[in-house]
Amino acid sequence: MGTNVRIKVVGAGPLAAQLSTALSERGHELVDAAPYEALVFAPWDPAVMVPRPIAELTDAEFDLAWQQTMDAAVAACTEARTAFAGNGGAIVLTLPTTALAGGDHYAHWAAAAEGVHILTKSVARQWGPEGIAVNALAISPELVLADAVVAGPVSIATPAVPNADPGAVVEFLCSNDARNLAGQLLTVDGGLWM
Amino acid sequence: MNRSLEGRVAIVTGAGQGVGEGIARKLASLGAQVVIAARRAETGEPVASAIRADGGSAECIVTDVTTRGSIAACVDGTVSTHGRLDVMVHNAFAGGHASRLEETPADAWFQMSRTSAWASFWCAQLSYPHLKASDQGRLVLVTSPSGVEGSANIPLYSPAKAAQRAIAKSLAREWGPDGICVNCIAPVAETPALASAFSQVPTLRGAIEARTPLGRIGDPTDDIGGVVAFLAGPDSGYVSGQTIVCDGGSFLGL
């Protein structure tokens, strides 16, 4: 993929750990603070992404899912722009395809995921002229939802690419090779969501 | 005379002006008993009066969709008066002003988040028992083409509106077994909100009209209200989880 990149990965769950490992194994430097050239926002964590019928959903649960995720996404993007210090950079916002397909008993987390998805487009439009490439990476709900079965199928098809690994794609989106992409969503879920 | 919504009871939030008023007028013209859920009686009462003057059924219940309790009172008042609730249309929105993401005031984001995502959650949850009891329960969320495309002018408006589409898809799955249809409409219409946007971004009207194949901006009643009436009525019983972009053909990306 060429030049190694200083990358900050935001998130404490297994998805963030998986992406961090993939990026580290590819020779990139993972950092917690500026300066860095790429941000990966991956807050999704099955420990908290539990299903709930909307009839039983509490305000605290909706706040945790929708409000706190969006607030964290905005904060991470804004911090990254400062960290890029006018030199451009890459922002990669991850989301489960539940954003696109909806999820039975998962309205709260689907709202957050689709919010992050469309935030990607807005930020790409505003910050693209500054040399900041903002794109999204969609991953399988099975990687982050506590109960993807409850959420319902994204597709009735079997995966075209079983066990698809998002590592190489997130590396690409962090690289200079992706600087001509803006507001795009690349989906690495085995081909279930098309 | 088309009376396809005769006997149906509908709540329309943000119906004191703009798209909400257009939707309420259209639903009432088709026979629905309409509750004008407006934040201010000064705007809601005249709309209700005008509908009644035209021979329709309407009343205003002052409703602040940024609070759960106010929406609950609206739903309870509607059911208390009419004995049922068949259609919930959440249209109200506030807080959208042009800004850079990094400069968006916290209170503007609070308003956008509350009136879109939070209010959609509350409208859905609080109306659910009544929609389930109806033989044609319908939830319609008014989103925006910007909720699909993103926005360079109001960056947080877009995710706030996008959340509604994800909620609609999720509830289409969740409530399908109850026979409830949940959909979104993404309109572009002549409204006070759009007029405000035009004043903030003077080139916006020309840009919208230039990219709109039908060459005009929609009418809240005839262009937008008619589509919501379809989603609220008996002919849309096999349509759920969808977003109808009602913008004169401007956005063709779905």
Side-chain angles (χ1 to χ4, degrees):
Chain A
M1 188 55 65
T3 308
N4 291 340
V5 179
R6 288 171 60 88
I7 303 171
K8 179 175 180 178
V9 178
V10 173
L15 174 65
Q18 178 183 344
L19 297 178
S20 296
T21 299
L23 291 166
S24 181
E25 288 177 349
R26 288 168 168 80
H28 300 289
E29 182 181 358
L30 300 182
V31 300
D32 292 326
Y36 51 91
E37 295 97 39
L39 167 80
V40 177
F41 180 72
W44 317 106
D45 186 348
V48 296
M49 294 182 74
V50 296
R52 191 78 69 212
I54 201 161
E56 301 171 8
L57 190 64
T58 67
D59 287 359
E61 289 170 322
F62 193 78
D63 183 75
L64 174 66
W66 158 255
Q67 196 66 56
Q68 294 187 34
T69 300
M70 286 304 303
D71 289 348
V74 171
C77 288
T78 304
E79 181 197 283
R81 179 176 176 272
T82 301
F84 297 161
N87 297 314
I91 295 175
V92 182
L93 300 168
T94 70
L95 53 116
T97 56
T98 313
L100 312 165
D104 190 358
H105 294 189
Y106 268 104
H108 47 325
W109 286 107
E114 183 63 356
V116 168
H117 174 207
I118 303 303
L119 177 68
T120 304
K121 299 185 182 185
S122 288
V123 181
R125 293 180 188 278
Q126 280 206 334
W127 294 352
E130 300 176 13
I132 301 174
V134 188
N135 293 289
L137 170 67
I139 46 88
S140 170
E142 294 181 356
L143 292 178
V144 294
L145 299 190
D147 195 336
V149 174
V150 167
V154 172
S155 166
I156 61 172
T158 55
V161 183
N163 303 314
D165 179 3
V169 178
V170 76
E171 180 192 30
F172 165 67
L173 290 173
C174 288
S175 75
N176 284 330
D177 293 339
R179 294 300 164 86
N180 287 314
L181 293 180
Q184 298 305 301
L185 175 71
L186 300 187
T187 303
V188 185
D189 71 341
L192 290 177
W193 177 263
M194 293 187 183
Chain B
M1 189 176 191
N2 183 349
R3 303 287 289 177
S4 60
L5 298 179
E6 191 79 53
R8 300 288 162 189
V9 176
I11 293 173
V12 182
T13 69
Q17 62 180 9
V19 166
E21 178 182 355
I23 293 168
R25 286 177 177 271
K26 188 67 176 183
L27 298 185
S29 75
L30 297 174
Q33 298 167 288
V34 179
V35 171
I36 309 297
R39 187 165 54 90
R40 293 180 294 134
E42 303 93 277
T43 60
E45 290 289 1
V47 173
S49 295
I51 289 173
R52 290 195 297 269
D54 288 340
S57 170
E59 63 184 314
C60 173
I61 297 180
V62 173
T63 306
D64 177 1
V65 300
T66 66
T67 69
R68 168 190 283 278
S70 187
I71 297 173
C74 177
V75 171
D76 291 346
T78 299
V79 174
S80 177
T81 299
H82 299 287
R84 59 188 297 150
L85 173 62
D86 305 282
V87 180
M88 169 63 87
V89 181
H90 174 49
N91 158 78
F93 181 79
H97 304 289
S99 70
R100 301 279 299 174
L101 175 68
E102 63 274 22
E103 297 168 354
T104 302
D107 63 334
W109 169 228
F110 176 86
Q111 285 291 321
M112 289 188 277
S113 175
R114 280 279 167 162
T115 54
S116 59
W118 281 92
S120 294
F121 160 42
W122 289 327
C123 284
Q125 185 180 69
L126 295 165
S127 64
Y128 172 62
H130 311 293
L131 302 183
K132 184 178 180 180
S134 170
D135 57 340
Q136 288 181 9
R138 300 284 192 268
L139 173 64
V140 181
L141 302 178
V142 179
T143 179
S144 164
S146 290
V148 183
E149 291 186 284
S151 171
N153 296 318
I154 318 175
L156 290 177
Y157 173 67
S158 300
K161 287 299 190 180
Q164 296 179 293
R165 298 178 56 241
I167 290 171
K169 291 179 182 182
S170 299
L171 295 184
R173 290 177 181 262
E174 191 169 317
W175 292 355
D178 297 320
I180 303 170
C181 296
V182 186
N183 292 289
C184 288
I185 179 172
V188 173
E190 296 279 9
T191 64
L194 194 57
S196 174
F198 290 158
S199 69
Q200 295 174 52
V201 185
T203 58
L204 187 58
R205 174 182 283 278
I208 291 175
E209 291 178 343
R211 79 166 196 174
T212 302
L214 291 177
R216 61 182 177 82
I217 295 174
D219 178 81
T221 303
D222 295 333
D223 293 320
I224 312 306
V227 176
V228 173
F230 164 73
L231 293 175
D235 293 336
S236 62
Y238 201 55
V239 179
S240 201
Q242 305 303 306
T243 295
I244 298 180
V245 180
C246 192
D247 68 347
S250 177
F251 177 74
L252 300 172
L254 286 183

